[in-house]
Amino acid sequence: MDLYEYQGKELFRQVGIPVADGRLATTPEEARSAAAELGGRVVVKAQVLTGGRGKAGGIKLAADADEAEVYAREILGLDIRGHVVRRLWIEQASDIEREYYLSLTFDRGEKKPLYMFTTQGGMDIEQVAQKSPGALVRLHVDPLEGFNPWQARRLVYGAGVTEASEQKQIASIVGKLHDAFVRFDAMLCEINPLIVTPTGEVKALDSKFTVDDNALYRHAEVAEMRDLDATDPLEALAREKHVTYVKLDGEVGVLGNGAGLSMSTVDVVTFAGGRPANFCDLGGGGDAQGVVDALEVITRDPQVRAIFFNIFGGITRCDEVARGILQALGEMSLELPIVVRLDGTNAEEGRRILAEAAAANLRVSPTMLEAAKRAVELAA
Amino acid sequence: MDLYEYQGKELFRQVGIPVADGRLATTPEEARSAAAELGGRVVVKAQVLTGGRGKAGGIKLAADADEAEVYAREILGLDIRGHVVRRLWIEQASDIEREYYLSLTFDRGEKKPLYMFTTQGGMDIEQVAQKSPGALVRLHVDPLEGFNPWQARRLVYGAGVTEASEQKQIASIVGKLHDAFVRFDAMLCEINPLIVTPTGEVKALDSKFTVDDNALYRHAEVAEMRDLDATDPLEALAREKHVTYVKLDGEVGVLGNGAGLSMSTVDVVTFAGGRPANFCDLGGGGDAQGVVDALEVITRDPQVRAIFFNIFGGITRCDEVARGILQALGEMSLELPIVVRLDGTNAEEGRRILAEAAAANLRVSPTMLEAAKRAVELAA
Amino acid sequence: MAILVDTETRLVVQGLTGSEGRFHGLRNRAYGTTLVAGVTPGKGGQDVEGVPVLDTVAQAVEEHGANTSMVFVPAPFAADAVYEAIDAGVHTVIAITEGIPAHDMLRIHAYVRARGVRMLGPNCPGALSPGKANVGIIPAEIFTPGSIGLVSRSGTLTYQIGHELTQMGLGNSTIVGIGGDPVVGSSFVDILRLFQDDPETEYVVLVGEIGGDEEEKAATFIESEMTKPVVAYIAGFTAPPGKTMGHAGAIISGSAGTAVAKKEALEACGIRVGTTPTETAELAAELTR
Amino acid sequence: MAILVDTETRLVVQGLTGSEGRFHGLRNRAYGTTLVAGVTPGKGGQDVEGVPVLDTVAQAVEEHGANTSMVFVPAPFAADAVYEAIDAGVHTVIAITEGIPAHDMLRIHAYVRARGVRMLGPNCPGALSPGKANVGIIPAEIFTPGSIGLVSRSGTLTYQIGHELTQMGLGNSTIVGIGGDPVVGSSFVDILRLFQDDPETEYVVLVGEIGGDEEEKAATFIESEMTKPVVAYIAGFTAPPGKTMGHAGAIISGSAGTAVAKKEALEACGIRVGTTPTETAELAAELTR
């Protein structure tokens, strides 16, 4: 789960990482009063779960509350890479002397948290890594031993920070970032830029914070931060129905059982020349109601013109799936063409059930590849 | 550093281990008002840093405040195995249905914390270990991974606790004992007995808590618990002077440099037929003032009849030690016979300095063994 | 022989009294796996169709000689269950449980490695050595004994490919699901090493998917250390970046972990990669001719 | 050869700019030890009599090829310094610092073992291989090169015995102080194993003291795995239970860790135990005849 800048900063604040004072605003009026409360110059920042806000006009420096309101009006509703701005973060403006970069990420390859730090902040870290790899200090943390202060020194001295007070402040932030990472089950904690002000203060000017979905059960306060308005409405419906669903941009609705097979099904549709409308995983033990729920989500997408049901029965029984399909047809008066491929546990029984129902829009195909081709044709 | 029962219970309370309510009292009057405040029956418990209080009459059950005062009067000033009772813990009386034993100790051999748990509580655990080893569950904790709940289950089920509520309460206490152990740098946390009341409540009826002296710098609140009145006055003086000193019960005052050599010196005095008055380590880099301080502590013991100075110079320079001895002789007008053996760095110079001083009570011996014999003779 | 599970396996199921644990535990027993005990704290003394239920894994090891544990405990308690199994002394832990926090797995991974214990999962279908033992939720009836080792991060996709192999008359030595989470107990390389050393395995099919770099590491390992032929399949060519595709571990982060990159890495090391499950099975069949 | 420190040693001193670190670091250099750098965070760029001071141990390893670290950092910061040294990649850490909390050492012990790094101390005098290298605070002038390996939990007591050996014309391969704390990086057994494998060592003198059970473990090891003759000394026969005798680790807990028990354990394994340092040196001298 990705957090907004202001949410990540709230978590930073909780572990003691210095951030500028700010307020959330969802209307120009709120932006005005937030700016008035904060006093002085403020930055009006679009809260969107994507990068490139600055270039897209989503960040503006306002001299006073009036200007903050004007900018808020401009930014709210802006579409930034497909994300509509609904929230603003109004923050006291910070003077910037230098921009650094600090992150702690979950390194799957090494199975360890990985620190990255460079004094070349403010830009994309992948660029820094490519252009001047020597400027980027990387350091893993042992998951059992955890953080020790030498690691902060290694980053700070390794990157060539020379001013003693800066060294000390950054070292402290490095340790606190680890606190945040562990305490909130983060997959990513990024501060870019980590700024030094002209008076030598170090603080986090931005935050990128991703929390492990599997760990949300032990972080109720973070789980509540999820912005349901920002997620795709179909994906929100899917979440509600406990259906694993990812919206894609085509016409062939896809339903499989198991993540790997479902991904493979999406691929096969593509290879057959079609465009999948979604990824949808019925899960390992799908029952009839699961099938109904999944079909409801898939067919809510108006782009869908045909549906491909690809089931390999294991724990999932094909007869149960067949019954679910018929139940859904009955309840939803579906008229879209549906191609079904059943194999594995009770596949014959499943096929027999579908054949007996003799629904006009239902076709059964013997193999995955053939079924995919059929579905692509029907969606054309 | 060993803590009194009431101090250990305070730490238990801080981590959430249930203990009975109680008050500290140092006079019979305080004991009375403590008992009155607590209400009902109370137990008057001598606070001494040794075992066997019960048998020595140091624990009494009082029906009311009057009786508490009477018992307090009896117990205060009692000598229990050489420890004079100066503090009492007045605690609400607990009804006991069953007595268990639970501890977490620092296992040097395995280099891991070690849990021990048995339902045969209330008696000496070494006895349980000998008589019915099968009844004692032992379980180590990995120092990097720390505590996990299965360990509590292993103890509780392994020892055969059958009642579900008891299992749950004890499992929780097991986890909290680990919290206490780690949080306070304990070398030992023992609850004996861990009682079950007739209503099924589990609580710690006693505490034995030892904190690592080397870690006291990070536990100011524990360091302040040290009872300077209870330590041997000579050892207290030594602590004040930063001299490593342990009081023994003989006539030959012993001073060495380095813990191993000092221990060896005490041994050699014994093998030579004498009785050492103390262990005293000048430390690795002893200077003249260190020698003066150490001599001051040693000679404060009225039993001392001769002193054996055993120095092997390494980092310590023998000439420096010799000067310290002369300085001490001058300042303290010492008349006790002193046998000095100097070897190693600048030994000749040291011997020359002592020879030139020609003090009447000062003898220089060439070897450790000969010096020991001489000192024993002089003390006889 | 075969790998990981076989006739020597003495299984304890942690969470045997739960509905899933009971269903699959008994199913594994019905297949012929030696199921010696179940563990559910507080339910010691009960039994599940004749299988004794104990309070601790230690009892299963000491009293019933358990050497392999299958974990069906709910996610919030699963990490603790895995530690319990490791410390009790089993040599193999197979964690079926889905949804264990990734940080818990970081610690478990370090812990399990340091102790030389083998672990599959979490979020995995387990391991099946046809004709010998089945530990997990793999439907055994799809597979027949043979010489092809199958290793995958996915369940049903493996069944699909296995099914196609079976249709062609080809059998498997062991089918291994390593799990779909970002950090799992055994990597592709760990399992490939076991297959390389297993006399019953002659060929290997590797079924990867988007996310992480385990397929890339497998490619290097196969090229440098394996003599047995390997073919591969990768799922997720159409997956958009930043979206979790069913498995917690199936996610393209930035430009890392794409199916194209994995396919290229494998092909650069001389490993043929099928475009569809069917083509992959056909490539495997070609090897055996 | 010799063990632990020799002409291959490239030393970095953590805390070189402190008074003790400076004194002993330079003393070690004067003896002939290759001292490549010092580390004091924040003092990088300075030097101590020509020895470069750096901010991190990593720099000492990468830029100066340090392979051994000596730790003189004050106790509250010493654990961190040890971790830094281990992770920077040195193969040997010698911690002179006294007063490191025992819990810190539990964790360090597990950490250092898992990484195959050798560690002496804390609260130890270091290691001296006469004629080759000295890392620590052992006064080298007492010792001469020879074939007796000397290992001890104590400093001065070792000097005493070494001095008596030198007086008899006997020299040492390496003198090792493992440290006087309850948990130290290397046990007697670890060092005995090194001596057993060291061609220059022909005999070993072990100097133990009260507390713990490392002498007992050493006895078993000597009996079962050593071919080289060993004599021993134990200090603390007169020590009362429950009192710390100078070393944090020199304490009899209950009935465990007494000198008598240790002496009996050693003798039961056929190892002669001297009553005094002098007698111990004489026993060692007998071995060499």
Side-chain angles (χ1 to χ4, degrees):
Chain A
M1 174 182 164
D2 294 332
L3 303 186
Y4 286 119
E5 174 195 2
Y6 79 93
Q7 295 169 329
K9 282 184 172 171
E10 166 57 25
L11 301 188
F12 283 171
R13 215 186 43 72
Q14 286 183 26
V15 297
I17 295 173
V19 289
D21 198 7
R23 302 281 184 281
L24 184 67
T26 56
T27 65
E29 295 70 32
E30 279 177 24
R32 160 185 283 276
S33 61
E37 238 180 274
L38 292 165
R41 293 178 313 145
V42 298
V43 185
V44 181
K45 303 177 89 174
Q47 299 297 291
V48 279
L49 297 175
T50 184
R53 287 180 299 176
K55 282 182 194 156
I59 301 179
K60 299 277 184 190
L61 177 64
D64 53 28
D66 287 346
E67 211 172 52
E69 184 177 345
V70 171
Y71 286 137
R73 212 173 294 277
E74 279 176 34
I75 297 173
L76 282 167
L78 213 62
D79 185 312
I80 301 178
R81 295 190 184 175
H83 297 252
V84 177
V85 181
R86 292 196 179 85
R87 303 179 185 198
L88 299 172
W89 181 237
I90 315 296
E91 187 177 90
Q92 281 179 338
S94 299
D95 291 325
I96 300 173
E97 183 79 20
R98 284 186 286 282
E99 296 189 320
Y100 298 161
Y101 169 99
L102 174 66
S103 69
L104 186 54
T105 59
F106 190 99
D107 184 345
R108 286 176 65 167
E110 289 292 320
K111 278 102 187 154
K112 286 174 183 170
L114 170 67
Y115 273 114
M116 289 196 276
F117 179 64
T118 174
T119 55
Q120 305 190 8
M123 55 174 126
D124 183 41
I125 194 63
E126 296 199 3
Q127 271 180 30
V128 176
Q130 276 187 349
K131 286 188 191 158
S132 38
L136 184 66
V137 188
R138 296 161 51 94
L139 190 66
H140 284 104
V141 180
D142 181 88
L144 291 175
E145 175 49 30
F147 175 79
N148 278 299
W150 69 266
Q151 296 173 309
R153 297 196 300 272
R154 179 96 157 251
L155 294 177
V156 168
Y157 293 116
V161 176
T162 50
E163 214 278 303
S165 150
E166 246 177 64
Q167 290 172 343
K168 216 172 145 181
Q169 290 177 73
I170 298 172
S172 154
I173 292 171
V174 167
K176 286 166 179 165
L177 199 66
H178 190 268
D179 292 346
F181 189 78
V182 170
R183 177 159 149 202
F184 299 112
D185 277 287
M187 303 303 283
L188 167 69
C189 291
E190 186 183 83
I191 306 177
N192 188 22
L194 177 72
I195 63 157
V196 186
T197 68
T199 56
E201 240 184 306
V202 180
K203 59 186 165 186
L205 203 61
D206 197 355
S207 92
K208 216 163 149 186
F209 209 116
T210 306
V211 175
D212 179 11
D213 285 318
N214 281 342
L216 286 176
Y217 74 86
R218 55 190 179 199
H219 305 291
E221 78 289 13
V222 177
E224 278 171 17
M225 289 180 174
R226 193 187 295 276
D227 178 10
L228 292 173
D229 297 340
T231 45
D232 180 281
L234 278 178
E235 291 186 16
L237 174 69
R239 188 187 307 276
E240 199 182 295
K241 299 246 172 208
H242 300 287
V243 170
T244 307
Y245 175 92
V246 174
K247 174 90 181 73
L248 301 172
D249 199 30
E251 297 80 32
V252 184
V254 174
L255 180 67
N257 66 319
L261 184 62
S262 301
M263 257 189 285
S264 174
T265 307
V266 170
D267 287 351
V268 170
V269 167
T270 309
F271 292 134
R275 300 201 310 160
N278 63 272
F279 162 95
C280 185
D281 172 10
L282 195 56
D287 56 6
Q289 187 55 46
V291 174
V292 174
D293 289 341
L295 266 176
E296 198 186 327
V297 172
I298 292 170
T299 56
R300 196 72 76 84
D301 176 0
Q303 276 187 271
V304 170
R305 310 237 307 256
I307 295 171
F308 173 16
F309 242 92
N310 188 23
I311 303 299
F312 193 92
I315 305 312
T316 307
R317 286 156 44 204
C318 290
D319 55 331
E320 185 77 8
V321 172
R323 281 188 204 98
I325 294 173
L326 295 181
Q327 186 186 329
L329 286 183
E331 288 177 14
M332 299 164 64
S333 62
L334 257 183
E335 289 176 9
L336 288 171
I338 302 179
V339 184
V340 182
R341 176 268 183 165
L342 299 174
D343 248 321
T345 311
N346 296 2
E348 276 182 45
E349 168 82 356
R351 289 189 212 112
R352 196 185 50 74
I353 291 170
L354 294 180
E356 280 174 7
N361 57 338
L362 210 61
R363 281 136 226 246
V364 176
S365 267
T367 73
M368 179 167 163
L369 200 57
E370 210 180 296
K373 285 178 185 158
R374 194 73 173 274
V376 169
E377 281 166 26
L378 289 167
Chain B
M1 172 184 167
D2 295 331
L3 303 186
Y4 286 119
E5 172 195 4
Y6 79 92
Q7 295 168 329
K9 282 184 171 170
E10 167 57 23
L11 301 187
F12 283 170
R13 216 186 43 71
Q14 285 183 27
V15 296
I17 295 173
V19 289
D21 199 8
R23 303 280 184 282
L24 186 67
T26 55
T27 64
E29 294 70 31
E30 278 176 25
R32 159 187 282 278
S33 62
E37 237 179 275
L38 292 166
R41 293 179 310 145
V42 297
V43 185
V44 180
K45 303 177 88 175
Q47 298 297 291
V48 280
L49 297 176
T50 183
R53 288 179 298 175
K55 282 181 193 156
I59 302 179
K60 299 277 184 191
L61 177 63
D64 54 27
D66 287 346
E67 210 173 55
E69 183 177 345
V70 171
Y71 286 138
R73 211 172 297 278
E74 278 175 37
I75 298 172
L76 281 167
L78 212 61
D79 185 312
I80 301 179
R81 296 190 184 175
H83 296 255
V84 176
V85 181
R86 292 197 179 82
R87 301 178 186 199
L88 299 172
W89 182 238
I90 315 297
E91 187 177 89
Q92 281 179 336
S94 299
D95 291 324
I96 301 173
E97 182 78 20
R98 286 186 284 282
E99 295 189 322
Y100 298 161
Y101 169 99
L102 173 67
S103 70
L104 186 55
T105 58
F106 190 99
D107 184 345
R108 286 175 66 165
E110 289 290 321
K111 278 101 187 154
K112 287 174 182 169
L114 170 66
Y115 274 114
M116 288 195 275
F117 178 65
T118 174
T119 55
Q120 305 191 8
M123 54 175 129
D124 183 40
I125 193 63
E126 296 199 3
Q127 271 180 29
V128 176
Q130 275 186 349
K131 285 187 192 160
S132 38
L136 184 65
V137 188
R138 297 161 50 94
L139 189 67
H140 284 104
V141 180
D142 181 88
L144 292 176
E145 175 49 30
F147 175 79
N148 278 299
W150 69 266
Q151 296 172 308
R153 297 197 299 271
R154 178 96 157 248
L155 294 177
V156 168
Y157 294 115
V161 176
T162 50
E163 215 277 304
S165 151
E166 248 177 63
Q167 290 172 343
K168 217 173 143 181
Q169 290 177 71
I170 298 172
S172 156
I173 291 171
V174 167
K176 285 166 180 165
L177 199 68
H178 189 267
D179 293 346
F181 189 79
V182 170
R183 178 161 148 200
F184 299 112
D185 278 286
M187 303 304 282
L188 166 70
C189 291
E190 186 184 82
I191 306 177
N192 189 20
L194 177 72
I195 62 156
V196 185
T197 67
T199 56
E201 242 185 305
V202 180
K203 59 187 167 187
L205 203 63
D206 197 357
S207 92
K208 217 163 149 186
F209 209 117
T210 306
V211 175
D212 178 12
D213 285 320
N214 281 343
L216 286 176
Y217 74 86
R218 56 189 179 199
H219 304 290
E221 78 287 14
V222 177
E224 279 171 16
M225 289 180 175
R226 193 185 294 278
D227 178 10
L228 292 173
D229 296 339
T231 45
D232 180 282
L234 279 178
E235 291 186 18
L237 173 70
R239 190 187 307 276
E240 199 182 294
K241 298 244 173 211
H242 300 287
V243 171
T244 307
Y245 176 90
V246 175
K247 173 91 180 74
L248 301 171
D249 200 29
E251 297 80 31
V252 184
V254 173
L255 181 66
N257 66 322
L261 185 62
S262 301
M263 258 188 287
S264 175
T265 308
V266 171
D267 287 351
V268 169
V269 167
T270 308
F271 292 134
R275 300 201 312 160
N278 65 271
F279 162 95
C280 186
D281 172 11
L282 196 56
D287 55 6
Q289 187 55 46
V291 174
V292 175
D293 288 342
L295 267 177
E296 197 185 329
V297 172
I298 291 170
T299 55
R300 196 72 76 84
D301 175 0
Q303 277 188 271
V304 170
R305 309 238 309 255
I307 295 171
F308 173 18
F309 242 92
N310 187 23
I311 302 299
F312 193 92
I315 306 312
T316 308
R317 286 157 44 206
C318 291
D319 54 332
E320 186 77 9
V321 172
R323 282 188 203 98
I325 294 173
L326 295 182
Q327 186 185 327
L329 286 182
E331 288 176 15
M332 299 163 64
S333 63
L334 257 183
E335 289 178 6
L336 287 171
I338 302 179
V339 183
V340 181
R341 174 267 182 165
L342 297 175
D343 248 321
T345 311
N346 297 359
E348 277 184 43
E349 169 82 357
R351 286 189 214 112
R352 196 186 49 75
I353 291 171
L354 293 181
E356 281 176 5
N361 57 338
L362 211 59
R363 282 137 224 248
V364 177
S365 267
T367 72
M368 180 168 164
L369 200 56
E370 208 178 299
K373 286 179 185 156
R374 195 71 172 275
V376 170
E377 282 166 25
L378 289 167
Chain C
M1 285 282 298
I3 68 168
L4 292 164
V5 298
D6 56 26
T7 52
E8 303 292 306
T9 296
R10 295 180 65 80
L11 183 66
V12 53
V13 177
Q14 292 178 261
L16 183 67
T17 57
S19 64
E20 297 242 327
R22 179 191 178 95
F23 177 77
H24 293 289
L26 294 176
R27 209 173 141 104
N28 288 172
R29 182 175 71 165
Y31 185 75
T33 311
T34 309
L35 173 59
V36 299
V39 168
T40 303
K43 300 204 173 167
Q46 302 182 7
D47 79 306
V48 167
E49 305 215 350
V51 182
V53 175
L54 312 167
D55 290 311
T56 67
V57 182
Q59 288 170 278
V61 171
E62 285 156 22
E63 297 163 19
H64 301 272
N67 58 23
T68 301
S69 172
M70 173 159 68
V71 177
F72 265 108
V73 171
F77 313 105
D80 182 49
V82 172
Y83 287 117
E84 179 179 1
I86 297 167
D87 283 81
V90 303
H91 58 57
T92 302
V93 179
I94 296 180
I96 312 296
T97 304
E98 194 175 341
I100 298 182
H103 280 240
D104 290 2
M105 273 310 301
L106 280 190
R107 297 177 65 87
I108 287 178
H109 187 271
Y111 196 79
V112 76
R113 293 274 153 164
R115 276 153 189 78
V117 173
R118 282 193 204 293
M119 177 176 178
L120 293 184
N123 191 15
C124 86
L128 161 66
S129 297
K132 299 193 175 85
N134 189 12
V135 177
I137 64 174
I138 299 176
E141 57 280 9
I142 306 168
F143 299 92
T144 55
S147 60
I148 300 179
L150 196 49
V151 59
S152 169
R153 280 162 68 186
S154 151
T156 45
L157 183 52
T158 315
Y159 314 159
Q160 171 73 32
I161 292 173
H163 174 68
E164 307 218 27
L165 291 173
T166 306
Q167 304 286 69
M168 296 179 198
L170 298 170
N172 295 97
S173 53
T174 304
I175 298 96
V176 181
I178 60 172
D181 278 359
V183 178
V184 289
S186 296
S187 65
F188 277 132
V189 169
D190 294 325
I191 304 303
L192 290 173
R193 185 172 279 127
L194 295 179
F195 277 138
Q196 172 66 21
D197 295 342
D198 174 38
E200 283 187 22
T201 302
E202 291 176 45
Y203 320 94
V204 177
V205 177
L206 180 150
V207 182
E209 59 188 41
I210 55 165
D213 62 354
E214 296 301 334
E215 290 80 2
E216 285 86 339
K217 287 178 184 160
T220 312
F221 175 81
I222 293 165
E223 187 180 38
S224 62
E225 299 191 40
M226 279 189 83
T227 57
K228 298 180 182 178
V230 180
V231 298
Y233 175 75
I234 303 289
F237 279 88
T238 328
K243 293 281 187 181
T244 303
M245 305 301 273
H247 282 158
I251 180 165
I252 298 167
S253 309
S255 58
T258 66
V260 170
K262 288 170 190 298
K263 182 172 190 278
E264 285 172 359
L266 286 159
E267 288 178 342
C269 292
I271 300 138
R272 296 182 70 184
V273 181
T275 307
T276 62
T278 311
E279 191 189 325
T280 309
E282 279 161 8
L283 290 176
E286 271 179 41
L287 292 180
T288 67
R289 274 175 213 134
Chain D
M1 286 282 299
I3 68 167
L4 292 164
V5 300
D6 56 25
T7 52
E8 303 292 307
T9 297
R10 296 181 64 82
L11 183 66
V12 52
V13 176
Q14 291 178 262
L16 184 67
T17 57
S19 64
E20 296 243 327
R22 180 191 177 95
F23 177 77
H24 294 290
L26 294 176
R27 207 172 142 104
N28 288 170
R29 181 175 72 165
Y31 185 74
T33 311
T34 308
L35 173 59
V36 298
V39 168
T40 303
K43 299 204 174 167
Q46 302 183 9
D47 79 306
V48 167
E49 305 215 353
V51 183
V53 175
L54 311 168
D55 290 310
T56 67
V57 182
Q59 287 169 282
V61 171
E62 285 155 22
E63 296 163 21
H64 301 272
N67 58 21
T68 301
S69 172
M70 173 158 69
V71 178
F72 265 108
V73 170
F77 312 104
D80 183 49
V82 172
Y83 286 117
E84 180 179 1
I86 297 167
D87 282 83
V90 304
H91 59 56
T92 303
V93 179
I94 296 179
I96 312 296
T97 305
E98 195 174 342
I100 297 183
H103 279 240
D104 290 3
M105 272 310 299
L106 280 190
R107 297 177 64 87
I108 287 178
H109 187 270
Y111 198 79
V112 75
R113 292 275 154 162
R115 276 154 189 78
V117 173
R118 283 194 204 293
M119 177 177 178
L120 293 183
N123 191 15
C124 85
L128 161 66
S129 297
K132 298 191 176 86
N134 189 12
V135 177
I137 63 174
I138 298 175
E141 57 279 9
I142 306 168
F143 299 92
T144 54
S147 60
I148 300 178
L150 195 50
V151 58
S152 168
R153 281 162 67 185
S154 151
T156 44
L157 183 52
T158 314
Y159 313 158
Q160 170 72 31
I161 293 172
H163 174 67
E164 306 219 27
L165 291 173
T166 306
Q167 304 287 70
M168 297 179 196
L170 298 170
N172 295 96
S173 52
T174 304
I175 299 95
V176 182
I178 60 171
D181 278 358
V183 178
V184 289
S186 295
S187 65
F188 277 132
V189 169
D190 294 326
I191 305 303
L192 290 173
R193 184 171 282 126
L194 295 179
F195 277 139
Q196 172 66 20
D197 295 342
D198 174 37
E200 283 188 22
T201 302
E202 292 176 45
Y203 320 94
V204 177
V205 177
L206 181 150
V207 182
E209 60 188 41
I210 55 164
D213 63 353
E214 296 302 335
E215 290 80 2
E216 286 86 339
K217 287 179 185 161
T220 311
F221 176 81
I222 294 164
E223 188 181 36
S224 62
E225 300 191 38
M226 280 190 80
T227 57
K228 299 179 181 177
V230 180
V231 299
Y233 176 75
I234 303 291
F237 279 88
T238 327
K243 293 281 189 182
T244 303
M245 305 300 274
H247 282 159
I251 180 167
I252 298 167
S253 309
S255 58
T258 66
V260 170
K262 288 171 189 300
K263 182 171 191 277
E264 285 172 359
L266 286 159
E267 289 179 340
C269 293
I271 300 140
R272 297 182 71 182
V273 181
T275 307
T276 62
T278 311
E279 192 189 326
T280 309
E282 280 162 7
L283 289 177
E286 270 180 40
L287 292 180
T288 67
R289 272 173 216 138

